[in-house]
Amino acid sequence: MSTRFTIARLGSQGDGIANAEGGEVFVPFTLPGETVTAARLKDRATLMSVLEASPLRIDPACRHFTECGGCALQHYEAAAYQQWKRERVVQALKAKGIACEIAALVPCAPHTRRRVTFSARRTEAGMLLGFVRALSSEIIPIEECPISLPAIVAALDKLRALAGLVCATPKAFHMTVTVTASGLDIAVHDAGKLGDHQRRIASNFAMAEGLARLSVDGEIVVEPKKPVVQFGSVAVAVPPGAFLQATEAAEQAMAGLVGQHLSRARKVADLFAGCGSFALRLAMRSEVHAVEGDGPALAALDRAFRFANGLKRVTIERRDLFRRPLTFKELNAFDGLVFDPPRAGAEDQSKQIARSDVPLVAAVSCNPVTLARDLRILVDGGYTLKSVTPIDQFLWSPHVEAVALLEKPKRRR
């Protein structure tokens, strides 16, 4: 049974929110001001029809929109979408009492995402390869993806075939595909244990199709060419499943903001350094100490530094910064710092930074809520927030990246 709703605003996940009897109702794929009919179940509703459309409603870019679970906002006009995404950062900071000029959103172009995680499962009709429908375990097979690099879309048939070769489970599993300078890097997870014969067939297929690497649960099955990505002037051979920023353009935008802010620093700490997307660029001007909990990522960073030319000294430290953040006394050895934690943020590390004398700090985050919490700690510790720049590298999703730049006067000793 459908109910008529008027959409008042968008929620933090991009769903339309209607004020109804019994409380707010979330209606995906709707826009503020629209009148719609939807089938309600508690506080969520499935859109049935749009009776009065917003003037900001546009045709979606993909035939799978509303089904595959990957995009939430393809139906929103570009300028309004970008303003909404910037507002997510504005509101998060406002909720923590932080006043700062927020720059315009750095936009994300279609067909630029270099890293995509597919879901796959064997069925009686064959292999399913696609994305999971929102709030469901159903895999929607896809034939196109306007956010992804063309190299990924062009390989969909071969990826589906490869999924069939590595599948050793009746359950759903995941296949992460990364575009590198060497070709596609395929990392399979939870597909079951490969037998020797299955491994040989999958290996032969990967080589015949020109894949750079195939790994299963972190173990390399075959690696005809080391997958390489470029961080500034430095080539890095990334390990299986290594974290990379979703788009190269967003990474360059973030690195540019961080690099300019820390350009006067002679000695820089890079916390949650990953494979070195900031550290190896910063080393063009500064000595860098890179701290990261993931051993293979840190080893890749170190190896890239040792084979690079023209860099200042880069030292590494493997350390779980959630369990054992760098203390303020350790941080006082640096005159610049960048930290880029996972979505949970870096609350304990921020408390140590707040107590430190580091004059220049760049905070990078993919979660406005935890970024605002961490910035509140730094501001309360004496830092001045100079700028915040939202960056869209998760096109048509509710997720937004941001780079915050802070300064603190150096204390006399």
Side-chain angles (χ1 to χ4, degrees), residues 89-139:
V89 178
V90 171
Q91 292 303 320
L93 267 62
K94 186 177 179 181
K96 288 295 183 180
I98 299 173
C100 175
E101 182 60 34
I102 311 296
L105 181 81
V106 177
C108 181
H111 310 292
T112 57
R113 186 162 181 143
R114 63 181 172 185
R115 181 178 173 84
V116 175
T117 298
F118 295 106
S119 293
R121 184 168 59 84
R122 193 186 301 283
T123 70
E124 291 182 1
M127 281 304 303
L128 276 179
L129 181 80
F131 299 121
V132 174
R133 188 189 294 274
L135 303 177
S136 163
S137 59
E138 180 188 2
I139 298 173

Side-chain angles (χ1 to χ4, degrees), residues 83-332:
Q83 181 59 32
W84 175 80
K85 191 160 267 197
R86 175 184 175 275
E87 195 64 20
R88 288 211 61 215
V89 178
V90 171
Q91 292 303 320
L93 267 62
K94 186 177 179 181
K96 288 295 183 180
I98 299 173
C100 175
E101 182 60 34
I102 311 296
L105 181 81
V106 177
C108 181
H111 310 292
T112 57
R113 186 162 181 143
R114 63 181 172 185
R115 181 178 173 84
V116 175
T117 298
F118 295 106
S119 293
R121 184 168 59 84
R122 193 186 301 283
T123 70
E124 291 182 1
M127 281 304 303
L128 276 179
L129 181 80
F131 299 121
V132 174
R133 188 189 294 274
L135 303 177
S136 163
S137 59
E138 180 188 2
I139 298 173
I140 305 299
I142 66 161
E143 302 297 332
E144 63 178 324
C145 181
I147 67 169
S148 301
L149 281 169
I152 295 176
V153 178
L156 283 170
D157 287 343
K158 82 172 64 166
L159 294 171
R160 194 175 294 108
L162 179 60
L165 296 178
V166 299
C167 179
T169 177
K171 299 178 181 178
F173 61 96
H174 297 103
M175 176 182 281
T176 298
V177 182
T178 305
V179 178
T180 75
S182 320
L184 296 183
D185 179 17
I186 316 295
V188 178
H189 294 280
D190 303 320
K193 184 172 176 58
L194 288 184
D196 291 341
H197 178 65
Q198 194 177 15
R199 177 185 295 269
R200 193 160 50 250
I201 291 174
S203 178
N204 290 340
F205 179 89
M207 289 189 290
E209 295 294 341
L211 302 179
R213 177 170 62 198
L214 170 64
S215 63
V216 175
D217 293 327
E219 179 190 350
I220 295 173
V221 175
V222 63
E223 188 181 68
K225 296 169 283 188
K226 280 198 174 298
V228 170
V229 297
Q230 202 77 17
F231 294 151
S233 63
V234 183
V236 181
V238 293
F243 171 79
L244 288 177
Q245 299 293 350
T247 74
E248 188 175 359
E251 179 182 273
Q252 290 174 353
M254 289 186 277
L257 290 164
V258 171
Q260 185 176 10
H261 186 58
L262 301 182
S263 61
R264 292 177 284 129
R266 289 175 299 170
K267 194 171 182 183
V268 173
D270 181 1
L271 310 184
F272 307 95
C275 293
S277 61
F278 292 121
L280 294 169
R281 288 179 168 99
L282 291 168
M284 295 294 292
R285 293 179 178 175
S286 313
E287 288 190 8
V288 180
H289 183 59
V291 186
E292 167 61 46
D294 183 281
L298 200 60
L301 188 165
D302 186 50
R303 190 165 51 248
F305 161 67
R306 294 179 187 281
F307 282 93
N309 295 315
L311 300 186
K312 296 190 180 294
R313 187 165 69 120
V314 176
T315 55
I316 61 169
E317 179 182 356
R318 185 175 182 184
R319 184 160 169 171
D320 184 338
L321 291 168
F322 292 106
R323 292 172 180 249
R324 197 163 63 92
L326 262 69
T327 67
F328 71 95
K329 290 182 178 179
E330 292 174 290
L331 292 170
N332 285 342

Side-chain angles (χ1 to χ4, degrees), residues 351-365:
K351 290 175 181 177
Q352 294 298 321
I353 297 170
R355 296 178 66 190
S356 79
D357 294 336
V358 182
L360 300 170
V361 170
V364 182
S365 173

Side-chain angles (χ1 to χ4, degrees), residues 56-78:
L56 298 175
R57 178 175 283 274
I58 61 173
D59 293 333
C62 178
R63 75 182 91 164
H64 304 299
F65 180 62
T66 74
E67 290 190 323
C68 87
C71 294
L73 292 157
Q74 282 189 20
H75 59 306
Y76 206 4
E77 186 272 332

